[in-house]
Amino acid sequence: MTTLDIVPLRSFVAVAAFSSMRGAADALHLSPPAITRHIRKLEHELGCRLVVPEGRGIALTSDGEELVGRARELLQQHDDTVHALTPHRTGELLVAATEHAAELLVPPVISILSQRLPDRRVQLRLTRSAHVRDLVDDARADIALMLTPPTPTSTMIADIPVRWYGTDTAPRDRLVLFSRPCAVRHHALASLSGRENAIAKECLHLSAVLTAARAGIGITALPEIGPAPDGLHVLHDMPSISTVPLSVATSDRVGAATHAAVVNELRAMVGPTRLRALA
């Protein structure tokens, strides 16, 4: 019987989120060759190709899309089980973040943790903002980046612009959206009030959204954090969309000084001047 190891699955999910081996390696504190070996191991065990080169990064195959959703569920169940049956490991920190923050915002956060708390091992969980909020409410996330309004236990970073993205030939009345609950989806649909449209595809994860949009199935709405995804560009002929708030929460385990450093770095990365430069 074929079995899948947790470590390669964690690497694969990071590769899907960052759309690159290098980004996944930096986030997981592994070498790019190690990440590549993990992907090749999974492909060998499953007998199918999971990733293909695309532009400056990589894209998932149809089998890769199938695996990434299942892998996230497996990792969540694994981590939840470990958390439920073992006390919190004082030497481990959990960084939970919305997938939209993966490429630009997660690496500097992990770098801060490595510099200020070098004796702590960092575990990364990239997921939907609603689940990130759950991890905060359960006191499991040590640093959490969420596209949600700030709470009494979190800090507002910035209002993030949301833009319509697509290809030149994508039908403007066909939409590729995240499944509910999703603040970006809500704001995107609100911007189209009075216009005819249809949801062509609903997706659980960012990689599936990007794959569908690149294929020209429809257009999609994304927070403008960093450059446009490969193969897509901002659609200036579409209505403007309301901003979404980016907030961060930290646990007592990282300390006040580290919290302040993370907040300052994130605000520098997504402040109005920085966002205009990336547009």
Side-chain angles (χ1 to χ4, degrees):
M1 177 184 293
T2 299
T3 59
L4 301 177
D5 294 335
I6 289 295
V7 173
L9 285 174
R10 205 177 294 280
S11 293
F12 174 68
V13 168
V15 167
F18 287 92
S19 297
S20 78
M21 301 288 186
R22 168 64 68 179
D26 291 344
L28 297 178
H29 285 262
L30 297 172
S31 67
I35 297 292
T36 300
R37 286 195 298 272
H38 290 165
I39 302 304
R40 297 293 173 257
K41 183 172 188 280
L42 289 173
E43 291 180 328
H44 175 74
E45 291 171 339
L46 294 170
C48 60
R49 195 167 188 187
L50 300 173
V51 299
V52 292
E54 182 175 86
R56 296 169 294 174
I58 65 154
L60 300 182
T61 64
S62 58
D63 288 321
E65 291 287 358
E66 176 71 17
L67 177 60
V68 74
R70 295 178 181 273
R72 289 179 190 276
E73 294 175 3
L74 287 170
L75 291 173
Q76 181 176 328
Q77 291 175 6
H78 170 273
D79 295 345
D80 289 347
T81 300
V82 170
H83 175 79
L85 299 178
T86 61
H88 185 84
R89 295 183 231 176
T90 57
E92 186 174 275
L93 298 173
L94 175 61
V95 175
T98 168
E99 294 175 282
H100 300 292
E103 186 173 356
L104 183 69
L105 304 182
V106 168
V109 168
I110 292 178
S111 178
I112 289 172
L113 291 178
S114 299
Q115 293 169 10
R116 291 177 169 269
L117 303 167
D119 58 327
R120 303 292 185 88
R121 177 178 175 271
V122 177
Q123 181 181 335
L124 176 63
R125 176 88 66 91
L126 297 172
T127 185
R128 303 281 294 274
S129 287
H131 186 56
V132 174
R133 173 67 68 80
D134 291 340
L135 294 172
V136 171
D137 293 342
D138 293 342
R140 295 171 54 189
D142 294 292
I143 294 184
L145 282 72
M146 309 165 282
L147 291 174
T148 61
T151 67
T153 59
S154 65
T155 302
M156 178 70 173
I157 298 299
D159 284 318
I160 305 297
V162 179
R163 312 287 188 206
W164 288 107
Y165 290 85
T167 62
D168 289 333
T169 59
R172 300 305 197 254
D173 61 346
R174 304 283 287 176
L175 311 179
V176 177
L177 299 175
F178 286 93
S179 57
R180 295 185 180 91
C182 175
V184 172
R185 172 194 173 114
H186 174 76
H187 290 314
L189 290 175
S191 77
L192 298 177
S193 177
R195 294 173 58 123
E196 288 192 10
N197 62 79
I199 298 177
K201 187 175 179 63
E202 289 186 290
C203 307
L204 289 173
H205 307 292
L206 178 60
S207 58
V209 169
L210 296 180
T211 297
R214 286 166 179 151
I217 292 174
I219 62 175
T220 191
L222 300 170
E224 194 175 41
I225 303 177
D230 285 344
L232 302 175
H233 59 81
V234 175
L235 302 175
H236 296 289
D237 57 342
M238 293 297 294
S240 60
I241 307 174
S242 300
T243 60
V244 292
L246 173 68
S247 60
V248 63
T250 62
S251 73
D252 294 338
R253 293 183 288 271
V254 302
T258 300
H259 169 87
V262 167
V263 168
N264 290 337
E265 179 66 18
L266 291 175
R267 285 176 173 167
M269 292 297 295
V270 296
T273 302
R274 177 65 173 170
L275 288 176
R276 282 197 297 270
L278 291 170

